[in-house]
Amino acid sequence: MNVHVHALSPPAGSTPVRVGRAGAEQVKARAAMWGVISYLQSPELVAGFQRLCGLVPVPTETCSSPTRNGFVEANDDSMETRRRKAEHVNGKPASHDSNSNYKIDTSQCDNKTREHPLPHYEVKNRILYFLFLSSAMLGHEVFYITCLPCIHWNLDTFLCRRLVNVWAVVMYIGQAMKDILKLPRPPAPPVVKLETRVDAEYGMPSTHAMAATAIFFELLLSAQERVKFQFEVGLTVAAVLSALVCLSRLYTGMHSALDVICGALISAGIIVVSHPFWETFDRVQLHNPISPAVALILPLFLCYKYPELDHYSTTRGDTTIILGCAAGSSVGYWVNERLGQTFELVGPFPVTLSPLTPTALGHGVARFLVGVGMLVLTRQVFRWASLRALCLVYGASLSDIDARRKKEIEVPYKFITYTAIGLVNSMLVSRVFGMMGLL
């Protein structure tokens, strides 16, 4: 983001306005501030960090050259995939906006007409390569959809419920801000991009940084009220994991330093403001008779009112997934409270956790496998049924990807699917564990 300060000349015949010392200092301060912002937004800063970590671009003439020793890769998509990214959800060509990654999608694999070949890259530091790619996975929705239930199954239902609520709030704010601000991601070149799925999304703020900061630090703050542990150790773990996720967004070339810093600061602000009120929200969520209706209607309304773009982006679909999980979990926890079986830790708090014996470890692994299996089965069944029902209602073909991206199909089918996943996780999985003797 290049910001220029233009000097304004006074109109002809007017009396010159003298700027005092205080005014001059303000102008200098503003110029310095914009200089810092421009520097943090610079793609050269991201490219420099990648080079420092051993990720080096390798010029090539083709989009599909083979890898060298397994560590020279092409960050490319097929021409058909990129063509679809450049289309409206209704199949019509989109008018390009300020997202530089989105603008070049239609010509990435046309070597005859492309002015700049798509960059390949060489990995010179394999340790950092695997470290940052693994860290980037900690910010993906798939990780949270499997990680947060593990806290429910193996630690404390209360903590899972708290983190799911925080995750939904933080991610909706972050995703909506992206599509309202419409600030582009770092362009390639000079940046090397290791991910392509979200290339058509905007960059500011980094929702990976937001989710990691919110989840790890809210877990730290909430867990100290429930279980005994050394706070300093927990603080170190939360800080290291958050930092790794943030740095991974620079390493993968998906965000500028400004995107990441703003994402972390926004999440920190949300935690500071919201943490004192989560206990009250928890009581309302579990005991208010209209809680299930609000938990279903409000997220669905927010998904339909999500900011519109002039091209298809994965942000609306990902946001719907997150809100669907939160809605289903909220209803399930409310039902558990009514049935008198919440599966929460029993006080007095904070409790001392049992030692990790081989038997406890085996039960934990079994719970993970059974739980994830149930969630995957739920996803497949409800996705299959909801997609077919909606395509039948709207007269769309199941194979028509553009039709499935329309709001009237994408929002309800993803919301139904992931609401079901939230319900199964919060209500059924622990009961199956009980029948299997895994609790």
Side-chain angles (χ1 to χ4, degrees), residues 33-54:
M33 179 185 68
W34 286 119
V36 172
I37 291 175
S38 180
Y39 172 74
L40 294 176
Q41 185 75 359
S42 169
E44 283 75 18
L45 180 61
V46 179
F49 178 77
Q50 291 180 318
R51 310 300 181 267
L52 182 66
C53 295

Side-chain angles (χ1 to χ4, degrees), residues 31-353:
M33 179 185 68
W34 286 119
V36 172
I37 291 175
S38 180
Y39 172 74
L40 294 176
Q41 185 75 359
S42 169
E44 283 75 18
L45 180 61
V46 179
F49 178 77
Q50 291 180 318
R51 310 300 181 267
L52 182 66
C53 295
L55 189 64
V56 181
V58 178
T60 181
E61 294 299 326
T62 66
C63 280
S64 57
S65 60
T67 62
R68 187 195 319 160
N69 298 327
F71 281 91
V72 176
E73 307 288 349
N75 54 334
D76 58 332
D77 286 340
S78 66
M79 188 175 355
E80 176 65 15
T81 300
R82 292 190 176 271
R83 182 191 65 79
R84 288 188 180 278
K85 286 182 181 180
E87 291 179 347
H88 260 316
V89 68
N90 61 7
K92 297 179 181 179
S95 57
H96 298 320
D97 49 35
S98 59
N99 191 348
S100 59
N101 304 302
Y102 169 64
K103 286 181 179 180
I104 63 173
D105 279 342
T106 56
S107 60
Q108 285 293 305
C109 290
D110 185 0
N111 287 308
K112 295 180 180 180
T113 60
R114 189 173 67 239
E115 183 177 352
H116 301 288
L118 189 67
H120 289 48
Y121 58 89
E122 181 178 1
V123 177
K124 295 187 176 180
N125 189 320
R126 300 186 183 188
I127 295 177
L128 291 180
Y129 177 78
F130 288 116
L131 174 65
F132 284 126
L133 287 190
S134 301
S135 301
M137 293 175 62
L138 299 180
H140 287 306
E141 287 78 9
V142 174
F143 169 77
Y144 291 115
I145 290 173
T146 54
C147 174
L148 297 183
C150 282
I151 295 177
H152 176 123
W153 305 332
N154 297 295
L155 183 57
D156 186 14
T157 301
F158 169 88
L159 291 176
C160 178
R161 183 170 64 248
R162 173 70 58 85
L163 295 179
V164 168
N165 291 331
V166 171
W167 180 47
V169 170
V170 165
M171 289 300 289
Y172 189 87
I173 292 174
Q175 297 280 64
M177 285 183 66
K178 279 185 180 182
D179 290 340
I180 292 173
L181 296 176
K182 297 184 178 181
L183 297 179
R185 293 179 183 270
V191 170
V192 173
K193 290 185 180 287
L194 303 187
E195 297 179 13
T196 56
R197 177 182 175 270
V198 296
D199 216 19
E201 291 184 10
Y202 292 101
M204 171 71 77
S206 167
T207 47
H208 272 68
M210 290 185 69
T213 303
I215 293 295
F216 294 135
F217 282 96
E218 185 60 40
L219 176 60
L220 173 69
L221 295 175
S222 299
Q224 67 176 337
E225 305 168 3
R226 305 285 292 182
V227 298
K228 291 181 179 179
F229 65 94
Q230 288 187 320
F231 183 82
E232 294 78 8
V233 174
L235 178 62
T236 301
V237 171
V240 169
L241 291 177
S242 299
L244 283 175
V245 174
C246 291
L247 291 175
S248 73
R249 303 318 286 161
L250 300 179
Y251 185 86
T252 56
M254 301 312 296
H255 285 285
S256 68
L258 185 64
D259 298 340
V260 171
I261 292 171
C262 288
L265 291 178
I266 291 169
S267 268
I270 293 173
I271 292 174
V272 170
V273 171
S274 66
H275 184 74
F277 301 100
W278 282 116
E279 185 175 351
T280 301
F281 180 85
D282 197 60
R283 288 197 300 268
V284 173
Q285 184 180 30
L286 294 179
H287 301 290
N288 194 295
I290 67 170
S291 173
V294 175
L296 292 173
I297 295 172
L298 180 59
L300 185 58
F301 172 80
L302 291 175
C303 292
Y304 273 105
K305 292 298 181 181
Y306 188 82
E308 298 282 353
L309 294 177
D310 61 357
H311 67 280
Y312 179 77
S313 171
T314 55
T315 50
R316 185 184 63 203
D318 290 345
T319 304
T320 303
I321 288 173
I322 296 167
L323 294 189
C325 289
S329 297
S330 182
V331 173
Y333 290 132
W334 183 88
V335 173
N336 286 344
E337 185 71 23
R338 288 293 184 273
L339 296 176
Q341 193 176 16
T342 61
F343 305 100
E344 292 186 9
L345 288 175
V346 179
F349 297 105
V351 303
T352 300
L353 296 178

Side-chain angles (χ1 to χ4, degrees), residues 150 153 362-376 433:
C150 282
W153 305 332
H363 282 180
V365 172
R367 284 193 293 266
F368 174 78
L369 295 176
V370 172
V372 170
M374 291 182 64
L375 298 187
V376 170
F433 292 163

